[in-house]
Structure formats: C-alpha cells, structure tokens
Amino acid sequence: MIKRAVLTDEHRELDALAKRILAEVAGDGPSVELSSLRWRLNRVLTKHLAMEDQLLYPILRANPATASLAEQVLAEVGGTASTYAAYHAAWPIERIQQDWEAFRAATRDVMTLLRRRILREERDLFPRASWPGADSR
C-alpha cells in the first residue's frame, strides 16, 4: 500500500538534504560532511523515486481524475531518476575534488530538478490524488 504520509515524509527529508548539499556547494571546496550527505541522499532518493515511478505514477495515470496532471508532472520532471543516476555516477569524490566548480554547477542543477519535482507533487498532484487501494493520508 502506498501511503501519502510516507511519501511526504520522504519529500521533507529529501528537501532538507538538498538544502544542506546546496549549502555545502556554496563553499570553497568539498567538506568532510559532503560525502555523508550525498550517501544519505542517494539511499533515500533511489528508493523513493523507484516507489513513485514504478508504483504511484501508474496508479495516478490510470485514474481519470489525476491522469492528465500525472502526465504533465512526468513530462516536466519524470526523468529525475535517470538524471540523478547519471549525476551520481559522474561525480565520484576524486572528480569532485579535481573539478569543484563543475560539480557545484551540476549539483545545483540536479537539486533544482529534485526540489521542483517535490514541489509539483506536494502542491499540485498529491492534493488531487485519490489512490485506489492506498491510504491517502
């Protein structure tokens, strides 16, 4: 069963991690904490996006009340999982240390995409969803 409360809690955690990572990349170079934050983000985000993309969105797309909006959100931010996976693979710690400025720019782009997806889901999609067989709270 997909629970909105679980997804919303994960959104809060992901948004907090994104903000912390953005604060880290505002600095002059990678901090000790950056690796830990990236590991936590990767763990939570990978699981979260898989659940949404494989379980939630098919339900929302099948429901006439949310199908159009779900398609619209997916068109805007549906590639978050593949974009994030490519970003994560492209930036091992050695490369981050060698090309801090490019990492900072790539990180800002990916965190902006993630935060936009969270906003669209929380603001526009979740309030309109009535998920069959799922707890909407």
Side-chain angles (χ1 to χ4, degrees), residues 4-110:
R4 179 178 175 179
V6 171
L7 295 175
T8 296
D9 287 348
E10 288 176 354
H11 281 168
R12 284 189 195 114
E13 181 178 5
L14 290 166
D15 191 52
L17 286 166
K19 286 177 184 176
R20 289 180 66 194
I21 290 170
L22 287 169
E24 289 289 322
V25 300
D28 294 332
S31 71
V32 174
E33 188 175 11
L34 182 60
S35 284
S36 172
L37 290 170
R38 290 182 72 222
W39 179 86
R40 281 186 54 208
L41 179 73
N42 187 61
R43 183 180 50 81
V44 176
L45 184 59
T46 302
K47 177 182 147 267
H48 178 82
L49 291 176
M51 182 169 36
E52 283 188 346
D53 292 348
Q54 295 169 14
L55 300 174
L56 176 61
Y57 275 92
I59 291 169
L60 295 174
R61 292 166 79 191
N63 183 340
T66 54
S68 177
L69 184 57
E71 289 292 341
Q72 184 182 34
V73 171
L74 282 173
E76 291 175 26
V77 293
T80 306
S82 60
T83 299
Y84 175 77
Y87 157 82
H88 187 72
W91 290 103
I93 192 65
E94 299 81 19
R95 183 168 179 220
I96 292 170
Q97 292 169 340
Q98 292 170 356
D99 199 354
W100 178 244
E101 291 304 315
F103 173 74
R104 292 172 69 184
T107 299
R108 285 190 294 266
D109 290 347
V110 168

Side-chain angles (χ1 to χ4, degrees), residues 102-119:
F103 173 74
R104 292 172 69 184
T107 299
R108 285 190 294 266
D109 290 347
V110 168
M111 296 305 130
T112 298
L113 174 64
L114 171 59
R115 295 184 78 209
R116 186 175 15 176
R117 178 170 171 150
I118 290 168
L119 175 67

